[in-house]
Amino acid sequence: MYNDKNKSPAPINNIPLNYKNTTQRMADICQQAPLAKHKPQLIAVSKQQPGERIDALLQSGHRLFGENRLQEAYNRWQARKLRYTNLQLHFLGRVQTNKAADIVCLFDYIHSIDRPKLAIAISKEMRKQNRTPQCFIQVNTGEEPQKSGIMPADLHDFIQLCKYELKLPIIGLMCLPPRNCNPVPHFAFLRKMAQQYSLTQLSMGMSNDWQYALRMGATHIRLGTAIFGPRQSKQTETNGI
Ligand SMILES: *Cc1c(COP(=O)(O)O)cnc(C)c1O
């Protein structure tokens, strides 16, 4: 894990405090760092977190949440979506093509458009449902074979396909830097590619490295453990809602 000397461990039980401290720190960084964007968005990644922690954050007034598994997201958000009309749900995980309909139906943003077959399936569903979740293209900046994301060398053609042929609402790029390495060059690389294609939004930065991501111009940071504390095991979380 990349080490940040300045980062203090998140207190587990005080979600409102974690939230307040994080948003304060975000504002401070944005004032000081020359490349930082004005008012970046904090996506609270609620995957594998118990319902009471999510409700605690909702009570603090937060409305942007991220998930990476479809079934889990439906269990957690279907009812809450009716209660909180201004929720904004972000899908961050790998999308199976045959789940495109459900993803388009539930989510307002999709961060993980990463291959032509998926882009085609998503654009079909958007037309069918007349819904247009905003999309990020996920780029495999570390060119890791096991990881999702379009390879940088294929990005040009993929953007042409998504934007001009399929008319997908592509607003930016997303990356997940390799573990155990300095993420900053990856953030810088993503930023450069986005600029090249006039894409204004950058989804980058997680609990361990978000301060670096903000300084590199992230518009969306995705924080799980920094807000909620450690995740529950998958077993507990799928059964426990
Ligand atoms: C889980 C996840 C996060 C949040 O991770 P933390 O380290 O808990 O902040 C962010 N982005 C994606 C794509 C994830 O899957």
Side-chain angles (χ1 to χ4, degrees), residues 45 47 68 92 174 176 206-208 222-226 231:
V45 182
K47 68 182 187 196
N68 75 339
L92 313 172
M174 177 273 220
L176 271 164
M206 306 176 22
S207 292
N208 277 307
R222 313 177 306 260
L223 306 187
T225 50
R231 282 182 273 282

Side-chain angles (χ1 to χ4, degrees), residues 72-83:
E72 189 190 330
Y74 264 92
N75 292 344
R76 184 169 294 136
W77 291 109
Q78 230 171 0
R80 287 187 178 93
K81 221 181 162 174
L82 301 174
R83 219 174 321 147

Side-chain angles (χ1 to χ4, degrees), residues 89-231:
L89 296 183
H90 294 251
F91 195 76
L92 313 172
R94 183 174 171 85
V95 185
Q96 290 170 267
T97 313
N98 62 352
K99 301 286 165 56
D102 295 327
I103 298 277
V104 167
C105 179
L106 183 66
F107 289 92
D108 307 295
Y109 288 77
I110 305 169
H111 290 239
S112 40
I113 304 290
D114 65 351
R115 56 198 192 279
K117 198 174 157 209
L118 174 64
I120 292 164
I122 293 281
S123 78
K124 252 189 213 155
E125 276 307 321
M126 285 190 185
R127 276 195 300 276
K128 206 158 128 190
Q129 299 184 31
N130 195 21
R131 257 185 72 79
T132 48
Q134 304 293 289
C135 297
F136 291 84
I137 290 175
Q138 182 175 351
V139 185
N140 190 346
T141 57
E143 305 192 24
E144 296 171 280
Q146 83 287 5
K147 202 170 255 178
S148 307
I150 192 97
M151 289 294 172
D154 300 326
L155 182 63
H156 178 84
D157 289 350
F158 190 52
I159 289 184
Q160 304 305 310
L161 170 75
C162 290
K163 280 185 82 166
Y164 303 112
E165 276 181 57
L166 301 172
K167 312 250 185 303
L168 278 180
I170 302 289
I171 59 170
L173 303 180
M174 177 273 220
C175 76
L176 271 164
R179 283 173 182 274
N180 305 315
C181 84
N182 181 353
V184 174
H186 294 270
F187 297 152
F189 185 34
L190 196 72
R191 177 191 159 88
K192 188 168 155 248
M193 287 185 281
Q195 270 174 346
Q196 217 172 335
Y197 294 100
S198 307
L199 295 169
T200 57
Q201 308 295 297
L202 287 172
S203 167
M204 57 189 199
M206 306 176 22
S207 292
N208 277 307
D209 55 17
W210 64 270
Q211 310 196 15
Y212 297 95
L214 277 190
R215 291 192 193 101
M216 289 309 298
T219 59
H220 296 71
I221 56 173
R222 313 177 306 260
L223 306 187
T225 50
I227 301 292
F228 294 113
R231 282 182 273 282

